[in-house]
């Protein structure tokens, strides 16, 4: 009888605490909730750009907003172009321009393989100033569902899918 009496106050004690629990969402989950592309500054001139889920054999046009706090305001962004070494396979630079709250970066991303794809895009100005963007995408394979694209990403073409993994694609 004494064992039950000892455990009963402890049991009722834990029941009083459940109303104190609140769910707190970090800013990380807020970014995801907005369904926007996540940009993380990795260094003075290097960034990681997370595109989220994309679909294999699809080509996307991606427009990413970069905040003014992340970029040196003195940079002549319009003069930047993509360096060809190393040869880009998945990412083709289109445009980098100043906007109201910073800059916008536009590029094409080609989802070739069913896996997490990372590729660095190197941009250089006429003055040889360099910006580096590591583009990260989780590419879903055939039959794995259709991903909800983050805002700023638009599918521009779909390659007919062959059953083979082989591709003639040599890069841009």
């Amino acid at each position: 009888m004494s064992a039950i009496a000892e455990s009963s106050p402890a049991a009722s004690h834990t029941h009083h605490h459940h109303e104190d629990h609140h769910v707190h969402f970090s800013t990380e989950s807020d970014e995801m909730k907005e369904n926007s592309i996540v940009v993380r500054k990795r260094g003075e001139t290097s960034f990681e750009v997370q595109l989220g889920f994309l679909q294999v054999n699809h080509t996307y046009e991606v427009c990413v907003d970069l905040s003014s706090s992340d970029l040196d305001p003195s940079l002549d962004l319009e003069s930047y172009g993509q360096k060809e070494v190393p040869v880009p396979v998945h990412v083709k630079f289109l445009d980098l321009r100043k906007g109201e709250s910073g800059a916008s970066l536009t590029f094409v991303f080609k989802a070739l393989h069913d896996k997490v794809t990372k590729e660095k895009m190197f941009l250089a100005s006429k003055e040889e100033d360099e910006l580096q963007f590591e583009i990260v995408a989780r590419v879903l394979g055939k039959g794995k569902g259709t991903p909800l694209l983050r805002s700023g990403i638009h599918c521009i073409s779909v390659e007919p899918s062959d059953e083979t993994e082989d591709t003639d694609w040599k890069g841009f």
Side-chain angles (χ1 to χ4, degrees), residues 56-57 112 142 159-169:
V56 73
N57 297 326
L112 299 174
K142 199 173 166 199
E159 301 295 317
S161 66
D162 296 327
E163 292 306 307
T164 65
E165 284 290 307
D166 297 329
T167 176
D168 299 342
W169 179 251

Side-chain angles (χ1 to χ4, degrees), residues 50-65:
Q50 296 181 351
L51 303 182
F53 289 99
L54 301 176
Q55 209 162 3
V56 73
N57 297 326
H58 286 54
T59 302
Y60 301 91
E61 185 175 283
V62 181
C63 185
V64 184
D65 291 324

Side-chain angles (χ1 to χ4, degrees), residues 101-161:
S101 61
S104 67
L105 167 69
T106 308
F107 58 91
V108 171
F109 184 89
K110 203 168 179 79
L112 299 174
H113 306 288
D114 170 5
K115 64 178 186 182
V116 173
T117 301
K118 291 184 178 185
E119 184 166 286
K120 287 188 167 76
M121 175 171 59
F122 297 95
L123 304 181
S125 70
K126 293 184 182 75
E127 291 77 39
E128 295 300 312
D129 291 321
E130 196 169 288
L131 293 172
Q132 176 185 314
F133 296 91
E134 183 172 39
I135 313 299
V136 182
R138 295 177 180 276
V139 180
L140 297 178
K142 199 173 166 199
K144 298 270 183 1
T146 305
L148 172 67
L149 298 180
R150 293 184 177 178
S151 52
I153 303 178
H154 304 282
C155 181
I156 53 175
S157 74
V158 179
E159 301 295 317
S161 66

Side-chain angles (χ1 to χ4, degrees), residues 33-50:
K33 200 163 52 192
E34 289 170 15
N35 200 36
S36 55
I37 296 166
V38 179
V39 178
R40 290 201 173 89
K41 189 165 184 176
R42 293 286 185 220
E44 191 60 39
T45 57
S46 70
F47 302 86
E48 180 181 297
V49 180
Q50 296 181 351

Side-chain angles (χ1 to χ4, degrees), residues 16-43:
H16 292 298
H17 280 294
H18 72 84
E19 59 219 56
D20 297 337
H21 292 282
H22 296 288
V23 180
H24 296 284
F25 293 102
S26 68
T27 54
E28 183 101 344
S29 59
D30 288 344
E31 286 175 348
M32 300 306 289
K33 200 163 52 192
E34 289 170 15
N35 200 36
S36 55
I37 296 166
V38 179
V39 178
R40 290 201 173 89
K41 189 165 184 176
R42 293 286 185 220

